[in-house]
Every structure is written in structure tokens, then in C-alpha cells.
Amino acid sequence: MSVNKVMVIGAGQMGSGIAQVFAQAGFEVKLNDIADESLNKGYARIEKLLSRNVEKERMIEQEKENALKQISTTTKLEDANDCDLVIEAVVENMDVKTKVFKQLDDITPKHAILATNTSSLPITDIAAVTERPSQVIGMHFMNPVPVMKLVEIIRAIQTSDETYQLIEETTKKLNKNPVEVNDYPGFVSNRVLMPMINEAIYTVYEGVAEPEAIDEVMKLGMNHPMGPLQLADFIGLDTCLYIMEILHEGFGDSKYRPCPLLRKYVSAGWLGKKSGRGFYVYE
Ligand code: CAA
Ligand code: NAD
């Protein structure tokens, strides 16, 4: 089996990036969202990033047009009925994701692989709600998708070797580097990254330093491209909180306790860059 037609579900910051890299690699992509507005925004983001690539002479106009031609948009999940691979990138919520996977299991052809871009939710539990658990896998892209080289590929306990191999090959066709990991809370990426971000939030909460100072320490002192609070705003504080809750619940260890200040910001709707305010204010 080979992958030709792909559906990406969720046209937010991750889904639009995933659709873009598949289209650039020549795959036929259907971009799906429940909201027309999100679809339009997601498609416009792809057009803008491709145009920027042309401006910067990283691609020619014809390559941009070719990539755009590969993408269609739809609000109908039923349009996944001829897809070989579906990548789900909706909100980080288990109920929403399992509902989508149950529907996909009915809609998609029997051979199709169902992948999730979840940051932390258990792939094993998502696979278990389908009739094809051996064809369910985590395909975890990093933000911003067009720039970051890693795809963390997470094997649920039920994932078959054939499914893993096909997803690894597909990742390489996107010009990305696959890394294989097993399904435990936070996988590798967020198990290591999120406690650092949470600790940075505790240093704000405890008045150790201002956000700018904390970010400066980590950028200049540790050569991180972004400070942890700038990165938290970029990822989305709601997503950061979901991930810390999964780590806390999954390991039952108080070292993963989400900082109360993170909870407060999320309750206030201060979700970072996407809502205009987080640890920083965005115009
Ligand atoms: N979307 C797409 N492309 C972007 C982008 C975005 N949001 N932001 C920047 N870029 C691209 C642009 O093409 C830009 O090049 P041009 O200006 O020439 O077009 C290039 O990246 C470099 O950008 P900048 O010069 O403006 O800024 P920079 O040198 O600081 O790089 C960055 C930007 C690549 C985002 C860098 O700051 C970085 O690597 N930050 C850390 C990102 C990171 O850690 N990501 C992982 C998050 S965790 C995760 O994703 C997993 C999870 O489950 C939460
Ligand atoms: P986002 O809020 O930017 O986008 C989510 C999109 O999903 C929205 O456009 C929303 O309308 C759509 N949506 C919600 N329910 C839907 C449904 N039932 N069907 C179709 N579309 C639906 O979120 P995001 O930051 O792109 O994150 C998406 C997923 O990727 C999450 O699981 C997140 O944990 C994961 N992820 C995020 C990052 C990050 O840095 N933000 C990095 C890696 C992985």
C-alpha cells in the first residue's frame, strides 16, 4: 500500500501546517474543519507562507501554484471516504478526538491509516475506540510545522509494524526526520519540554523574575531559540495546561503539578499568541 490521498482534520495552526507540507511533497490533501472561518484562515495562512517562500527565493511561483492545487477544503468528514491516510489535528480533548476517530472508522476505506497529531493524549486509548487499532498511530509534528524537522512517531501498543513502516516512509517523503517512541504520557517531546515550561511559569508565579528576564536567561544562557514563556505563548497556554494535566494524571507524581498561574491565565482566556494575550501582549 502507498499513501496518495490525505485528509487533515482541523485547520488551526498545526493542521494548516501539516496540510502545507503534504501538499508541497505532492500529496493530494483535503483540509477539513468544522468551522468555515477556520478553514478560510488556515488556507490563507498556507497561501501566505508559500508566497513568503517565493519572495525569499526558496521556491518558484510555479511550485507555489502546484502546492496550492493539491489542497481542497471541506467541512464534510465524509469526504475522507477515498483517503489512504487521515491526520487528526483538532483541539487537545479526548472526547472530541475519540468522536472524530469513531466517525473516521466508519467513513474511511478499510486500508486507511488513522493518525493523530495529539501532543499528549494516549494513542492506545484512541486506537481502542476503532475497529482497526493496528492502523492507528501518533504522527506528532512540531510547531511551526513547515520549519521544524522532527516528526515524533508514537506507536500505540496495538500499532502494527506495517503501519509504523508506512508512516516512517511517508514522513521521509515530507523531508522530515522521523523518531520512533512508545506511548507513555507526553511521549518524549512533551515529557521533557513541558516541565521546563511549567517551571518557568512557577518562577513568574513565585516572583523570582519577570517573564522577559526568564526568557532572556534561557535564550542567551542556553541558546534556546525562544524563551520558555515566549514558547508557551506560541504553543498556546490551553494546550500547555492540557499536557501538564495528562502528565500529572498519567504519572501521579506531584512534580508534574500544573502551576496555578497557568490555570488562572487559561481561565481568563489568556491563551497566548492566538488570543492576543498570554505572558506577553500581541497586537
Ligand atoms: N509559521 C511558519 N513559518 C515560520 C513561523 C511560523 N509561525 N515563524 C517563523 N517561521 C519561519 C519563517 O519562514 C522564517 O524565515 P523567513 O523570515 O526568512 O521567512 C524562519 O522561520 C525564521 O524565522 P525568524 O527569523 O522570524 O525567527 P527565528 O529565527 O526565531 O525562528 C522559529 C523562528 C523557527 C520559530 C524559532 O524561534 C524556533 O525554533 N523556536 C522554537 C520552536 C519550538 O521549540 N517548537 C516546538 C514547540 S513544541 C511542539 O510543537 C510540540 C507540542 O506538542 C506542543
Ligand atoms: P488550534 O486551536 O489552532 O486548531 C484546532 C482546529 O480544530 C480549529 O480550527 C477548530 O475549529 C478545529 N476543530 C475542532 N473540533 C473539530 C472537529 N470535530 N472536526 C474538525 N475540526 C475541528 O489548535 P492547534 O494548536 O493546531 O492544535 C491541534 C492539535 O495539535 C492538538 O491536539 C494539539 O495538542 C496538537 N499540537 C499542538 C502544537 C502546538 O504547538 N500548538 C504542537 C504539536 C501538536
Side-chain angles (χ1 to χ4, degrees):
M1 182 201 145
S2 67
V3 174
N4 296 305
K5 289 191 187 176
V6 177
M7 180 179 269
V8 179
I9 303 177
Q13 55 175 342
M14 295 306 291
S16 63
I18 296 168
Q20 180 184 334
V21 295
F22 270 97
Q24 279 180 243
F27 292 88
E28 192 181 324
V29 186
K30 299 182 188 185
L31 181 58
N32 166 275
D33 203 289
I34 36 169
D36 270 322
E37 198 197 336
S38 304
L39 267 184
N40 295 340
K41 264 173 119 177
Y43 191 81
R45 197 176 304 124
I46 296 171
E47 271 185 316
K48 194 173 151 202
L49 288 172
L50 290 173
S51 297
R52 176 126 182 112
N53 282 337
V54 175
E55 268 165 46
K56 292 268 175 165
E57 298 182 350
R58 289 189 285 255
M59 64 169 59
I60 58 169
E61 182 67 27
Q62 190 57 53
E63 288 170 311
K64 170 190 148 186
E65 294 304 327
N66 290 347
L68 286 174
K69 263 193 235 143
Q70 295 298 104
I71 305 175
S72 58
T73 56
T74 175
T75 51
K76 294 196 201 92
L77 207 57
E78 292 73 29
D79 288 337
N81 63 1
D82 61 353
C83 289
D84 309 304
L85 168 64
V86 180
I87 299 143
E88 166 279 313
V90 307
V91 62
E92 187 76 343
N93 177 297
M94 194 61 175
D95 292 341
V96 180
K97 288 197 194 280
T98 50
K99 196 170 159 225
V100 169
F101 270 75
K102 278 184 192 156
Q103 286 174 275
L104 286 173
D105 199 23
D106 290 336
I107 294 167
T108 55
K110 286 275 168 280
H111 72 271
I113 291 179
L114 308 182
T116 171
N117 183 53
T118 180
S119 296
S120 60
L121 295 168
I123 316 294
T124 302
D125 296 21
I126 296 175
V129 304
T130 72
E131 301 288 325
R132 62 179 96 187
S134 65
Q135 289 160 239
V136 175
I137 194 162
M139 199 173 182
H140 187 204
F141 290 82
M142 301 292 126
N143 190 10
V145 179
V147 180
M148 307 300 279
K149 292 297 286 180
L150 174 72
V151 179
E152 187 180 38
I153 304 182
I154 306 113
R155 297 180 78 125
I157 199 164
Q158 311 96 318
T159 307
S160 69
D161 288 343
E162 292 72 23
T163 299
Y164 177 79
Q165 289 304 336
L166 191 62
I167 294 303
E168 188 184 79
E169 274 165 34
T170 305
T171 300
K172 287 180 183 162
K173 287 185 187 158
L174 303 176
N175 201 20
K176 305 264 182 215
N177 295 34
V179 175
E180 178 182 355
V181 312
N182 287 321
D183 184 25
Y184 284 97
F187 322 129
V188 170
S189 54
N190 282 318
R191 183 168 176 176
V192 177
L193 174 68
M194 275 306 148
M196 179 191 71
I197 287 180
N198 197 44
E199 202 58 33
I201 301 172
Y202 269 111
T203 48
V204 181
Y205 178 62
E206 291 167 8
V208 180
E210 293 297 321
E212 290 82 356
I214 296 161
D215 280 347
E216 200 77 345
V217 166
M218 298 307 287
K219 278 195 288 187
L220 300 185
M222 283 76 189
N223 247 0
H224 289 196
M226 283 177 168
L229 299 165
Q230 187 191 2
L231 184 56
D233 273 2
F234 180 59
I235 292 168
L237 299 185
D238 49 345
T239 302
C240 293
L241 179 58
Y242 278 135
I243 298 169
M244 283 312 298
E245 279 169 343
I246 294 285
L247 290 171
H248 195 207
E249 190 190 309
F251 292 115
D253 188 328
S254 64
K255 76 178 175 182
Y256 297 111
R257 186 170 68 104
C259 179
L261 187 63
L262 174 60
R263 285 193 191 284
K264 198 175 265 191
Y265 273 37
V266 173
S267 301
W270 297 355
L271 307 182
K273 209 169 168 201
K274 65 182 166 187
S275 73
R277 178 165 189 173
F279 290 98
Y280 298 94
V281 175
Y282 303 86
E283 295 307 317

